[in-house]
Amino acid sequence: MEEIDRRIVTLLAADGRMSFTDLAKETGLSVSAVHQRVRRLEKRGVIRGYAALIDHDAIGLPLTAFVSIKPIDPSAADDAPERLQYLTAVEACHSVAGDESYILKVRVESPIALEHLLQQIRAAANVSTRTTIVLSTPFEHRTPDLNADQP
């Protein structure tokens, strides 16, 4: 990826609502050139979309946990993501190496809601769970350092 494209991606990762005019000022390109580059980055799948960052406390979901899951029957089909997709409290599902098959990031309103969600996860996917409750989040949604490997 070209340096100017890395700069555009870094700027948009930090502020997805940045205007093409502001992007042009920050990169030294014309507005139309920035627009073309952003569209090309979207078309290539480098930029997959734009989203609002939500304050989960403010919407009544203050409890975050990571739930590691492992199939009870190792010979069963590896379809846990499909079986859990309907659970909206599951924010993310990561396939991982190690003892567990997946780690889920979940957000709920209370410990009782977490307990209920864990029961749903176990029943829906036929898995055992290991849960870590988040106490605080010093940082999240960091902008990637696209220049880390550059000379």
Side-chain angles (χ1 to χ4, degrees), residues 87 108 110-122:
L87 295 171
V108 293
S110 67
I112 291 170
L114 178 58
E115 183 176 23
H116 179 69
L117 178 62
L118 292 172
Q119 291 168 351
Q120 289 180 295
I121 290 168
R122 290 181 195 121

Side-chain angles (χ1 to χ4, degrees), residues 45-133:
V46 174
I47 298 173
R48 297 186 337 212
Y50 303 87
L53 298 178
I54 306 299
D55 179 343
H56 290 89
D57 290 346
I59 63 168
L61 299 172
L63 196 154
T64 302
F66 292 97
V67 180
S68 300
I69 63 172
K70 182 164 71 170
I72 291 173
D73 177 4
S75 65
D78 184 11
D79 60 355
E82 292 81 12
R83 289 174 175 248
L84 300 173
Q85 195 167 345
Y86 76 97
L87 295 171
T88 57
V90 178
E91 182 177 301
C93 176
H94 303 277
S95 177
V96 296
D99 288 336
E100 287 89 6
S101 300
Y102 297 93
I103 295 178
L104 312 174
K105 181 179 182 182
V106 304
R107 294 192 191 261
V108 293
E109 58 271 9
S110 67
I112 291 170
L114 178 58
E115 183 176 23
H116 179 69
L117 178 62
L118 292 172
Q119 291 168 351
Q120 289 180 295
I121 290 168
R122 290 181 195 121
N126 196 30
V127 294
S128 63
T129 62
R130 184 175 56 86
T131 304
T132 303
I133 294 175

Side-chain angles (χ1 to χ4, degrees), residues 130-143:
R130 184 175 56 86
T131 304
T132 303
I133 294 175
V134 174
L135 299 177
S136 69
T137 303
F139 55 84
E140 189 173 44
H141 303 294
R142 295 176 78 177
T143 303

Side-chain angles (χ1 to χ4, degrees), residues 1-13 23 27 29 33-42 44 46-47 144 146-147 150:
M1 184 173 10
E2 294 179 34
E3 174 62 33
I4 196 72
D5 288 340
R6 280 196 296 277
R7 179 78 177 130
I8 290 169
V9 169
T10 299
L11 289 166
L12 287 173
L23 282 169
T27 60
L29 297 174
V34 166
H35 187 264
Q36 287 176 337
R37 284 182 176 265
V38 169
R39 294 294 173 241
R40 192 171 343 128
L41 289 164
E42 291 170 344
R44 286 181 26 215
V46 174
I47 298 173
L146 298 179
N147 296 312
Q150 300 303 311

